[in-house]
Amino acid sequence: MNKALLVIDTQDSFYHTPYWSVRDIPDFQHNLTQLIGAFQRNQGKVVKILHSREDIADSPFNPASGFVKPMAFLETQFDKTFYKSVHNAFTDTGLATWLKRAKIDCVVISGIRTEQCCETTARIASDLGFDVEFVTDATLTFDMQHKPSGKLISSEDIKNRTELVLAERFATVHRTRDYLA
């Protein structure tokens, strides 16, 4: 099976959002760096996906902001870069065509936000016929407030929910350590 690691939206834009939190950053950075290294050692493709929204002038995701670039800890060479303006990495990027031409049949999901762009990419990839591996500890998200109830949902609970809805339906769920052996 030929695999590509998708590093989704791990970009400076997030530093400038109201929900940014550094709490889970050390583990995320460590796991993602280890995962990228494992792919590079095993000659897997590493693909950078950046979220870019030119239609929202004051957004940190607008390229004019200067923040649509990989976070500094990603000191790596990527095999390919795609820019997206929607939640998943396939709809408006040409990623599926590139993967098929490269004879890649499995995508490995990592990046920022677990329940949003990462999960949505996993679902679309599955629908497009790719095998999907979701590396939850190499994804990052943030606590969210449930508006109707006012309840604060922790990033850990959000990740658990993502695993619940993806596992055995859209993806197999993995940890970084699964790729390091």
Side-chain angles (χ1 to χ4, degrees):
M1 185 174 299
N2 293 322
K3 298 180 182 185
L5 173 63
L6 305 184
V7 181
I8 300 170
D9 298 351
T10 307
Q11 63 193 68
D12 285 358
S13 304
F14 282 100
Y15 297 137
H16 306 278
T17 61
Y19 47 83
W20 176 254
S21 169
V22 298
R23 184 185 66 218
D24 298 327
I25 293 298
D27 289 340
F28 168 69
Q29 286 180 345
H30 174 77
N31 292 334
L32 185 54
T33 301
Q34 294 291 311
L35 187 60
I36 290 169
F39 266 76
Q40 290 174 328
R41 284 188 300 279
N42 295 310
Q43 300 177 350
K45 301 286 187 193
V46 181
V47 179
K48 172 177 50 177
I49 311 289
L50 295 171
H51 194 89
S52 177
R53 293 294 303 264
E54 294 179 11
D55 60 325
I56 305 173
D58 61 347
S59 170
F61 295 93
N62 186 311
S65 71
F67 305 133
V68 181
K69 61 184 179 184
M71 291 179 170
F73 77 91
L74 291 175
E75 298 175 1
T76 187
Q77 292 291 85
F78 291 90
D79 294 294
K80 188 74 174 166
T81 300
F82 292 93
Y83 292 87
K84 66 182 186 61
S85 63
V86 296
H87 293 107
N88 77 83
F90 288 96
T91 297
D92 63 355
T93 63
L95 175 61
T97 300
W98 182 83
L99 292 168
K100 289 176 183 176
R101 286 183 181 156
K103 299 187 180 350
I104 293 168
D105 47 11
C106 178
V107 293
V108 179
I109 307 292
S110 68
I112 301 177
R113 292 186 69 176
T114 307
E115 80 292 349
Q116 191 165 300
C117 296
C118 295
E119 182 180 324
T120 305
T121 296
R123 289 169 180 263
I124 298 296
S126 175
D127 285 352
L128 292 173
F130 293 97
D131 288 322
V132 180
E133 297 176 4
F134 197 91
V135 189
T136 310
D137 66 357
T139 69
L140 178 71
T141 198
F142 312 98
D143 297 347
M144 295 174 68
Q145 187 168 12
H146 184 251
K147 297 286 185 200
S149 70
K151 181 179 178 185
L152 187 66
I153 310 298
S154 72
S155 60
E156 182 180 349
D157 286 343
I158 293 168
K159 285 184 171 191
N160 287 334
R161 181 230 155 252
T162 292
E163 287 183 347
L164 173 69
V165 299
L166 289 181
E168 300 177 27
R169 293 174 189 89
F170 300 97
T172 57
V173 174
H174 294 269
R175 299 290 181 265
T176 300
R177 69 177 174 267
D178 299 336
Y179 298 88
L180 302 180

